[in-house]
Amino acid sequence: MACLRRGFAPIPVPAKQKAPNLPEWQHLKANEADIPRWFEGEGNIGLLLGEPSGGLVDVDLDCPEAMRLAAAFLPPTAMRHGRASKPNSHWFYRLEDAADPVKFTAHDGACLLELRSTGQQTIVPPSIHPSGEKLIWESDSDPAVADAEGLAVNAARLASAILLLPRYPEPGTRNDFCLTLAGLLVRGGMGPEYAAHFIRELARAAGDEEWRQRGKAAESTFDKMAEDEPVRAGTALAKMLGLDGKKVVSKLRQWLHLAGSPIPGKVQFQSQASSLMHLAGELDLFHDADRSAYATIQRNGHREIWLVRSKEFKLWLRSRHFDEAKTTLNSEALQNAIETFESRALFESPE
């Protein structure tokens, strides 16, 4: 009943099971009169995800590496649960836009994490997992509000770091590894600041004592490419990773939407995200007392003010990019640009 009153759609699940057994359960939506009948006796509680629960989605972390890295890549949220052997393994968000479910599966078939949404459900505390462990709320407050595109990018970065973590090298070759990884990321179109964050958090999770310095590899790689100097990237990284290196690099390219080859030349080298930065001259950026970031744009002869993370501002960026580049803007580049504008509004612009 508490779930229902929070705007979620509870669904009965048999005791110590994870899946409902009601026919067409994806389309059922309980009201208060249904609760005593549906949840009579022992059993688990599932929540329908996506549209039935007001845009509720679950980032389901399926391996130990995912739980070690999650806080570095996922936005904070006050609705999380897990069990004794897998604490904090479910992170919940409310999305403003619809999102398709996404499953990040490694080249060997292992599931690393899932972004679960409409058409799916997740059991929640105090349900009993099939292993016999009781689910426990780590934090049972309101889920954070996120945008679908941004959360998908964050999940892809997390999955990529999970894939690399067991392959992080021993001391002696770590600097070369980070430089080569930076080459793959930055040559593929990831902004250097986000590549630096990715490498730092990967190194920290791997127990690298010099993790704070590892992000500099991305900055030096960007500088080399700007001077048209050669940079090692995918082929070299695949060799470092061993027998399955090519498959790992292929997954990284797929999940992070990395380009397969560099764009040569000092002038021509720009990621999609970097190419959007010239728009900063058209924007008046600022923030409010609650640390929300805003942008004022000129449109059709008048001024409009939008939250930097709003759907409308993202659509404006997509439209401007298409007008100028005649290509569509990929999700990774859009997220990089949004985060850069937000940072400038919060730390370099007035309140």
Side-chain angles (χ1 to χ4, degrees):
M1 192 71 79
C3 290
L4 187 68
R5 289 170 180 165
R6 291 175 68 181
F8 305 145
I11 192 79
V13 176
K16 295 186 178 181
Q17 294 186 32
K18 294 168 64 176
N21 60 2
L22 292 176
E24 299 190 9
W25 56 265
Q26 297 93 334
H27 307 293
L28 298 177
K29 194 163 183 179
N31 56 44
E32 291 195 9
D34 295 318
I35 298 299
R37 176 170 54 87
W38 283 15
F39 292 91
E40 183 180 8
E42 294 185 351
N44 283 346
I45 302 171
L47 294 185
L48 295 179
L49 298 171
E51 186 277 329
S53 289
L56 186 72
V57 297
D58 170 25
V59 179
D60 181 3
L61 309 177
D62 280 320
C63 62
E65 293 84 1
M67 285 166 272
R68 286 166 60 186
L69 285 159
F73 291 94
L74 295 178
T77 181
M79 185 175 174
R80 306 183 311 279
H81 78 64
R83 58 186 197 273
S85 64
K86 292 181 70 175
N88 263 321
S89 55
H90 292 262
W91 293 47
F92 293 87
Y93 301 88
R94 276 195 191 273
L95 298 186
E96 298 171 330
D97 303 317
D100 294 327
V102 183
K103 190 171 186 177
F104 293 92
T105 304
H107 56 282
D108 60 2
C111 181
L112 307 182
L113 67 96
E114 291 184 76
L115 177 58
R116 300 172 60 78
S117 185
T118 302
Q120 299 176 314
Q121 62 85 41
T122 294
I123 58 171
V124 295
S127 298
I128 306 297
H129 189 267
S131 65
E133 293 179 301
K134 186 175 181 178
L135 302 189
I136 302 167
W137 286 113
E138 312 283 351
S139 177
D140 185 20
S141 189
D142 292 334
V145 177
D147 64 278
E149 206 157 30
L151 187 61
V153 168
N154 290 330
R157 292 176 183 172
L158 173 57
S160 300
I162 294 167
L163 190 61
L164 288 171
L165 184 57
R167 298 167 173 82
Y168 196 81
E170 296 296 322
T173 60
R174 288 175 172 174
N175 189 57
D176 283 347
F177 175 83
C178 290
L179 283 169
T180 308
L181 175 58
L184 174 73
L185 299 177
V186 178
R187 268 175 51 163
M190 184 182 286
E193 63 272 35
Y194 305 110
H197 173 265
F198 182 94
I199 293 169
R200 276 197 305 269
E201 295 304 329
L202 174 64
R204 178 161 63 169
D208 187 340
E209 294 180 356
E210 298 182 50
W211 64 269
R212 290 181 180 86
Q213 305 301 317
R214 298 305 183 196
K216 293 183 178 179
E219 298 166 9
S220 63
T221 297
F222 187 86
D223 291 341
K224 283 183 178 181
M225 293 187 67
E227 296 297 330
D228 206 17
E229 296 180 20
V231 171
R232 290 177 299 168
T235 302
L237 183 64
K239 290 180 180 179
M240 289 182 174
L241 293 172
L243 293 177
D244 60 353
K246 288 184 179 180
K247 295 179 180 179
V248 172
V249 169
S250 177
K251 280 289 183 182
L252 296 178
R253 290 192 194 280
Q254 174 191 340
W255 291 343
L256 298 175
H257 303 287
L258 301 177
S261 60
I263 303 171
K266 179 177 179 180
V267 177
Q268 291 84 356
F269 172 65
Q270 290 184 343
S271 68
Q272 286 192 341
S274 299
S275 72
L276 289 172
M277 290 303 101
H278 77 279
L279 294 177
E282 301 180 23
L283 303 173
D284 290 326
L285 296 169
F286 63 96
H287 63 273
D288 64 16
D290 295 323
R291 308 296 290 170
S292 295
Y294 295 85
T296 303
I297 67 172
Q298 296 289 339
R299 185 164 133 181
N300 298 330
H302 66 274
R303 300 172 72 209
E304 296 184 4
I305 297 175
W306 296 109
L307 279 163
V308 169
R309 288 192 173 271
S310 68
K311 180 178 180 180
E312 291 81 3
F313 184 65
K314 291 175 185 175
L315 289 173
W316 181 78
L317 287 176
R318 285 189 179 279
S319 175
R320 286 301 311 274
H321 177 80
F322 186 83
D323 288 344
E324 295 185 9
K326 304 306 178 188
T327 61
T328 57
L329 185 63
N330 72 49
S331 298
E332 178 76 27
L334 178 63
Q335 183 70 3
N336 287 348
I338 289 294
E339 290 174 0
T340 299
F341 287 133
E342 181 176 48
S343 176
R344 291 185 179 183
L346 291 177
F347 302 109
E348 301 175 16
S349 304
E351 179 179 319

